[in-house]
Amino acid sequence: MTKQRALSSALVLTAFGLPAAAGAGTPESSATFVGPASSQLWLGVGYLSEDNYHFRRYTGPVDEGFYPEAHLDLRYRGEGDEDARYGRLEGRDLGLDSRRLRGRYGVQGTYGLSLEYDERPRFYDRDVQSPLRSDGTDRLSLPEGWQGNQDFEDSPERLRDWKMERHRERLAFDALRHLDDEWKVNFSFSREETDGYRYATDYRWYEFPAPIDQRTDQYRVSLEYAGDQLQGRFGYHLSSFQQLANERLTVEDPDDPGEFNEVFREPDNLYHQIFASGAYAIQPGTNVSADLQLGRALQDERFVEDDDDLPSSLDGRIDTTRATLRGTHRFHPRLQVRGSYRYDDRDNRTPQYFTEDDLEDRTRPHGWTRHIADVDADIRLPARSNLVLGYEHRYTDRDFTDGSTRDDTFRTRLRSRITPQLEGTVFASRLYREGAEYVGPASEAGTILPAEVYHLAELEQTQLGVSGTYSVIPELALGAEVTYSEDDFTDSDMGLQERNRASYTLSLDYFPTEQWTGYGFVTWDDGERQLAGEQRSLLQDEETLTVGLGTEATVTEDERWSLGAEVLYASTDVDIGFDRAQDTDYPTLTTRLTQLELYGKYRASEQFHYRLAYLGQRFEEDDWALGFGPGEVDDMNDYVLMGRDNYDYTAHMVVGSVGYTF
C-alpha cells in the first residue's frame, strides 16, 4: 500500500506539470547526469475557484482566479567522451509563491558550482481583524479616537483586516573542488530571510499581529577523503540567527489607549560546530565508523525586564559534544552483528540568575549527559526467514533532578516468506525506564515538593505489530497491518500518565494489465491519553479514519494517452474529558476531508506533451477554540482575539500545461 500511495502522489505531481527531482541523494555540486541531456520547458495556466488560505497553504495559490504555471529543466553536456562539462537549470512553480530555481555547472571529476533560490510560504488566515495599525516600524498603534475594548462592538469600522502569513526566501551557493582522485573540498553558504505576520499575545492573552523580519545565515566548509577502504571528512559549520527588526515590539493596549506594552522577539544567537567522521572497511563483512561533533551555542542579549539583581545580558553559552562509534561484523554467512555507542553531552554554562525578592523567579539553564549503547543481531533463518534481536541501554544524567534515568529496550523482528504468495512480518519491543524526580527552583525554595514529571517518570512501554501481504493471483495482492503501542508512565505526577494507540490497515494492489494499475487502502487509528494536572486530569480519545482509492491507465496501444484518478477521505474526532464528575467535558473536535484528483497526459510527438489536471477538496472542521472575536470573548477581559474561524469550504483547482522537449 505504501509504495502505491507514494507512486500515486508522484503521478499527480507530474500531472500538474512538476518535474521529478533528480539526484535527491547526491550533493548539489557533484551530481552527475545519466542518459541523454534533453531539456524540457512547461508553460500553462491554472485556475483556483475561491480565495482560500487553507487549500494550498504551503505552496499557493490562495487567491481566486487564474495564475501562471511554468517549469523548466534545461540540461547541457559536453560534446564527446573527453568533454566532462555539465550544466543544468531547473525551475519549479515559477508562477507561485513556492517557486524554486536552481542552476549547476561544472566539470565532472574536477569542480562543480551550484546556485539555488527558493521561496516557501505558509498561509495561516486572512480577514482576521484587529484595531492595531503598523507604521512600518516596530510599533503597533490604535486608530485615533479608539476608546477601549467596547469599540470592538461599538465601532467595528475601526477594525482592520489582517492577512496572517509568512514568506521565506532562501539563497544558497555550493562549490566543490576535486584536489585529486581521493581528496575534495566543499564550501556552502545559505541565507534565509523570513517576513510576514504571526499571531502573538501579551501577558493577558490579547491577540495581535506580530511582524516577522529575521535572517538565518549558514556557512559550511569541509575536506573529504574517499579511498578504497578508508573514507573520512572534517569540517566547520556556522549558523547565525539575526532579527532584522528591533529586539522589542511596542504594542498599544486596546483596553487602555495611550498605554504601550513591550513584546520581545527571539534573541540573536550563534552556533559553531567542528565535525569529523570516518569509516574503515577492515575486511569484507567487517566495518567500523566514527563521528564527532563539537559545538558551541552563544546568546548574549539583555533580559526582557530591567532588574537591579540581574546583569545587563544573559551571557548564554551551551557547549555540545556528540561522539559515536559503530561497528558491523559478519560472523557467519547467516549471522551479522551491529553495535554502536554514542556519547551526547549538553553542557549549559549559562549562569543561573535569580532575584532577591523571589527565590522561585530564577533562570533554569538545563544541561544533560547521555550514554547510549545498542547491539543488533541479524540472523538469516531457513525457509526464507530473517530474525533480528536487539537491545539498547540509555543512561541520562540531567540538571535539576535527584538522579539519573536509565532506559532498557529489548526488541525483535521476524520476517518470513511463508509461501511464494504469502509473506509477513512480526515485531515487538519492550522498554523499561528507571525514573527520577524533577528538582527545580520552587522545590529548592521549599514551596513545592520534588515531582515526577512524565518525561522523567518510570515508564513501561510495549510496542507490537504484525503485517502481511498475500498475492491472490499474479495481478492482485492484498495487505494487512496491525500495530499497537502502550506507554505507562508509572507514578507520573505531571503530564502524561498513560498513552495507548492501535492502528489497523487493509490494502489492495491490482495490476490487471501492463497498461492499467489500481490500489486502495483503509486505515483506522484509535488513540487514548491520560494527562495529570495539579487539580484534575484530562482524558483524550482520538479516532482517525483514512480511505483512499487510485488508478492509472494507458488508454491507447501506442501509450500516447494516459489517465489517472484518486479519491481520498479522512476524518478525525477528538474527545477531551475530565476525571471529575463536576467538570463538563469539552465538545468533540472534528475534521473532515474529501479530495478528488483527476489527471490526463497526452504525448502528441517526441517534442510536444500536454497535461490537464483537476483537484477538488471539501474540508470542514469544528474546533471549539475557534470562532470567537474579534474582541472580548469572556467577561473578565482575559481573552481578546482576532476572530479566527473554523474552515468550511469546497475548493476546485484546474491546471493545464504544454511541454516541449528538445
Side-chain angles (χ1 to χ4, degrees), residues 188-369:
S188 64
F189 165 77
S190 68
R191 167 166 290 181
E192 181 178 281
E193 294 190 351
T194 304
D195 61 15
Y197 288 91
R198 64 177 177 86
Y199 291 105
T201 59
D202 66 4
Y203 64 95
R204 292 167 302 171
W205 209 267
Y206 270 70
E207 195 171 51
F208 62 89
I212 306 171
D213 192 7
Q214 57 196 32
R215 172 189 295 165
T216 300
D217 289 337
Q218 298 194 62
Y219 303 83
R220 189 181 186 92
V221 60
S222 64
L223 179 66
E224 298 182 23
Y225 172 82
D228 294 334
Q229 290 183 278
L230 177 65
Q231 298 84 41
R233 182 178 63 170
F234 175 79
Y236 168 76
H237 175 82
L238 169 66
S239 177
S240 169
F241 174 81
Q242 178 184 1
Q243 290 287 355
L244 299 179
N246 194 287
E247 64 181 4
R248 70 180 74 187
L249 173 66
T250 304
V251 183
E252 191 170 2
D253 191 339
D255 197 34
D256 189 7
E259 182 70 21
F260 287 85
N261 300 317
E262 290 185 336
V263 178
F264 283 74
R265 297 184 169 99
E266 297 86 350
D268 296 354
N269 57 79
L270 284 172
Y271 181 70
H272 304 266
Q273 184 187 79
I274 298 174
F275 59 89
S277 62
Y280 183 70
I282 301 174
Q283 63 183 24
T286 304
N287 304 281
V288 294
S289 63
D291 299 290
L292 177 65
Q293 294 103 34
L294 303 175
R296 174 168 293 177
L298 302 172
Q299 195 267 93
D300 198 25
E301 295 297 315
R302 71 179 187 86
F303 285 95
V304 173
E305 297 182 2
D306 295 326
D307 193 292
D308 294 338
D309 296 324
L310 299 177
S312 59
S313 64
L314 175 68
D315 194 21
R317 171 182 162 185
I318 301 176
D319 293 339
T320 61
T321 302
R322 174 175 291 182
T324 306
L325 180 64
R326 308 179 189 88
T328 302
H329 180 67
R330 185 172 294 277
F331 290 90
H332 185 272
R334 291 183 175 272
L335 174 62
Q336 178 175 273
V337 176
R338 296 181 295 268
S340 70
Y341 166 76
R342 189 174 80 186
Y343 171 80
D344 209 345
D345 181 64
R346 175 190 172 109
D347 184 8
N348 196 331
R349 300 197 174 191
T350 306
Q352 186 178 29
Y353 302 109
F354 58 91
T355 61
E356 295 288 345
D357 298 333
D358 189 353
L359 293 179
E360 293 186 33
D361 186 16
R362 59 175 78 181
T363 59
R364 296 165 172 81
H366 288 275
W368 45 261
T369 301

Side-chain angles (χ1 to χ4, degrees), residues 365-399:
H366 288 275
W368 45 261
T369 301
R370 179 174 294 150
H371 304 266
I372 304 174
D374 71 89
V375 61
D376 284 292
D378 193 327
I379 307 168
R380 188 152 56 93
L381 302 175
R384 294 174 294 187
S385 299
N386 175 263
L387 176 65
V388 175
L389 301 173
Y391 168 75
E392 178 186 281
H393 176 73
R394 182 181 298 244
Y395 173 91
T396 306
D397 187 18
R398 299 177 176 86
D399 295 336

Side-chain angles (χ1 to χ4, degrees), residues 423-456:
E423 62 179 61
T425 301
V426 178
F427 68 87
S429 69
R430 177 71 173 176
L431 177 148
Y432 177 77
R433 173 187 298 158
E434 181 181 330
E437 290 186 334
Y438 173 75
V439 182
S443 55
E444 291 177 355
T447 57
I448 66 172
L449 296 175
E452 287 202 28
V453 187
Y454 80 95
H455 68 282
L456 300 174

